[in-house]
């Protein structure tokens, strides 16, 4: 007896996992594909093509007023559906009305502002903000740090599968080493308690759990910032301890900005912008900063040179002479 064919969304999930995309990408792609199907009154994607894709993307830009990055994300999800799942190559070029990408400069804190915000936080949230600012980490990179990725001897960290799936090495600030070591000692106690209770597993990247079934319980694979409770693995491999959720740090940062009375729109990524800008101001080579940030193209890093212009491209006003 043959097994019934898998549902479309299950096929999408299988294809994404075969490509070793992150769980977040999996959820995002599935959501966009569902929205695309619902927009066209639940028609099957096989019955649709370029005109329907253009109509959906145009709707997002014109009526949904989404950002250019959001529209591109939707397009990537739909293209993945057709090319990787349905094995359909779209012959015509997609000419939807595209959302405009604004030419915005990044928000940057002064060193005093960055420290003032960090001082308004405590515990693990302070430690995480210190790493965002002191090492130039993205929020997700900070959350997904594992014990094996931190090298206290060399004062550095290895960022695994950053944006674009690239690994890189960045610095570990000296001022963070002692509190981070104390924090890791507490994390080890939690892990030992989990093991004693018959748990202690975490989520492993890609298919590593098939290569080494015991790796998920090894100390080196544990998250540096584990969640306070255990949960069910969303991919179905049992009870695991995941990393902290981003929303906890985001809420703590919002409150810290308010307490520090900083009148700027500050997000976790603002600390990464500030890290790069302050290194440039200190005279570090832009290629070095590019490597620390993990940018593929130095043009991306060049945006941080805007602060060196000091307004008006470095021109001194005649009023100030």
């Amino acid at each position: 007896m043959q097994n019934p064919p898998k549902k479309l969304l299950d096929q999408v999930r299988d294809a994404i996992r075969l490509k070793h995309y992150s769980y977040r990408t999996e959820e995002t792609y599935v959501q966009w594909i569902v929205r695309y199907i619902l927009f066209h009154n639940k028609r099957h994607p096989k019955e649709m093509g370029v005109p329907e894709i253009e109509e959906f993307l145009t709707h997002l830009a014109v009526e949904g007023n989404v950002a250019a990055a959001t529209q591109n994300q939707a397009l990537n999800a739909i293209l993945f559906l057709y090319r990787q799942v349905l094995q359909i190559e779209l012959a015509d070029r997609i000419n939807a009305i595209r959302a405009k990408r604004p030419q915005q400069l990044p928000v940057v804190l002064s060193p005093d502002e960055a420290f003032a915000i960090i001082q308004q936080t405590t515990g693990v949230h302070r430690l995480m903000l210190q790493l965002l600012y002191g090492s130039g980490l993205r929020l997700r990179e900070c959350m997904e740090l594992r014990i094996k990725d931190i090298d206290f001897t060399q004062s550095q960290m290895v960022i695994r599968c950053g944006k674009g799936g690239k690994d890189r090495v960045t610095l570990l600030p000296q001022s963070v080493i002692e509190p981070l070591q104390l924090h890791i000692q507490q994390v080890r106690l939690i892990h030992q308690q989990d093991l004693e209770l018959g748990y202690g597993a975490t989520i492993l990247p890609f298919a590593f759990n098939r290569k080494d079934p015991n790796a998920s319980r090894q100390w080196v694979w544990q998250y540096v910032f584990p969640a306070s409770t255990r949960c069910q693995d969303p991919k179905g491999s049992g009870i695991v301890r995941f990393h902290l959720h981003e929303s906890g740090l985001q809420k703590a940062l919002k409150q810290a900005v308010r307490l520090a009375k900083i009148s700027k729109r500050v997000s976790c990524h603002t600390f990464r912008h500030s890290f790069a800008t302050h290194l440039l101001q200190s005279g570090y080579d832009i290629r070095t900063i590019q490597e620390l940030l993990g940018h593929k193209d130095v043009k991306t890093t060049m945006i941080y040179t805007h602060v060196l212009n000091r307004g008006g491209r470095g021109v001194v006003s005649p009023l100030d002479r």
Side-chain angles (χ1 to χ4, degrees):
M1 182 177 179
Q2 294 183 344
N3 294 325
K6 285 189 174 183
K7 294 181 179 180
L8 179 62
L9 295 183
D10 290 334
Q11 295 178 42
V12 171
R13 293 183 185 278
D14 288 345
I16 290 174
R17 293 174 187 181
L18 186 64
K19 294 285 185 181
H20 299 313
Y21 290 175
S22 69
Y23 181 69
R24 168 175 271 187
T25 300
E26 176 182 321
E27 290 299 295
T28 301
Y29 275 23
V30 168
Q31 289 173 10
W32 279 120
I33 291 169
V34 169
R35 287 184 62 175
Y36 170 62
I37 294 173
L38 292 178
F39 178 78
H40 290 293
N41 300 316
K42 299 184 179 180
R43 290 173 61 193
H44 196 285
K46 283 185 177 180
E47 302 173 0
M48 301 185 285
V50 172
E52 287 80 9
I53 296 174
E54 290 178 347
E55 184 182 356
F56 177 64
L57 295 176
T58 299
H59 166 77
L60 291 178
V62 177
E63 298 181 36
N65 198 29
V66 300
T70 303
Q71 190 188 41
N72 286 336
Q73 188 182 71
L75 173 60
N76 290 335
I78 296 171
L79 291 178
F80 184 91
L81 169 67
Y82 279 96
R83 294 172 179 172
Q84 305 298 331
V85 181
L86 301 177
Q87 303 297 317
I88 296 175
E89 191 62 39
L90 300 171
D92 299 330
R93 182 178 179 181
I94 297 173
N95 293 313
I97 295 176
R98 306 307 299 268
K100 293 184 178 180
R101 186 178 295 274
Q103 300 296 319
Q104 295 179 337
L105 294 175
V107 176
V108 175
L109 300 167
S110 70
D112 288 343
E113 289 172 334
F115 280 104
I117 293 173
I118 292 172
Q119 289 299 317
Q120 295 296 333
T121 59
T122 58
V124 67
H125 291 147
R126 174 180 288 194
L127 193 54
M128 295 169 78
L129 287 181
Q130 287 175 319
L131 289 177
L132 295 183
Y133 177 51
S135 306
L137 303 186
R138 298 179 178 92
L139 174 58
R140 193 73 178 177
E141 292 170 348
C142 182
M143 294 292 176
E144 295 180 349
L145 274 176
R146 297 182 190 262
I147 299 298
K148 66 181 182 62
D149 298 329
I150 298 181
D151 187 343
F152 288 109
T153 303
Q154 299 294 327
S155 297
Q156 65 183 26
M157 295 181 293
V158 180
I159 307 304
R160 307 285 182 182
C161 290
K163 192 173 182 179
K166 302 188 296 277
D167 292 355
R168 74 178 191 278
V169 176
T170 189
L171 68 156
L172 178 64
Q174 292 293 318
S175 58
V176 174
I177 289 179
E178 184 176 351
L180 185 56
Q181 287 174 330
L182 293 173
H183 167 75
I184 289 177
Q185 290 176 11
Q186 296 299 316
V187 174
R188 185 152 204 165
L189 291 175
I190 295 173
H191 179 57
Q192 290 173 346
Q193 292 171 358
D194 282 350
L195 290 173
E196 292 171 0
L197 294 172
Y199 299 105
T202 191
I203 294 176
L204 297 181
F206 309 137
F208 198 85
N209 56 340
R210 292 201 295 269
K211 299 176 184 176
D212 186 356
N214 297 319
S216 65
R217 288 178 167 80
Q218 293 175 5
W219 166 240
V220 295
W221 282 102
Q222 302 306 307
Y223 287 113
V224 174
F225 301 109
S228 58
T229 58
R230 296 181 292 270
C231 67
Q232 176 68 42
D233 181 357
K235 295 186 178 180
S237 64
I239 302 299
V240 297
R241 191 177 288 275
F242 204 51
H243 58 66
L244 286 173
H245 197 275
E246 298 98 320
S247 62
L249 181 59
Q250 290 167 339
K251 291 176 183 177
L253 174 60
K254 184 177 181 180
Q255 182 179 14
V257 172
R258 180 176 57 82
L259 293 173
K261 299 180 180 179
I262 304 298
S263 57
K264 291 181 179 179
R265 187 180 179 185
V266 181
S267 69
C268 291
H269 209 70
T270 303
F271 287 92
R272 177 174 162 89
H273 293 321
S274 303
F275 165 83
T277 302
H278 298 163
L279 287 183
L280 275 173
Q281 289 177 320
S282 298
Y284 288 97
D285 180 74
I286 195 165
R287 292 286 183 180
T288 300
I289 299 172
Q290 177 192 357
E291 292 179 4
L292 292 174
L293 292 174
H295 287 161
K296 182 178 180 180
D297 194 329
V298 73
K299 292 180 181 179
T300 308
T301 317
M302 287 291 291
I303 193 172
Y304 298 112
T305 60
H306 76 283
V307 297
L308 303 182
N309 295 331
R310 301 184 185 279
R313 300 194 177 277
V315 176
V316 178
S317 169
L319 186 63
D320 297 330
R321 294 184 183 275

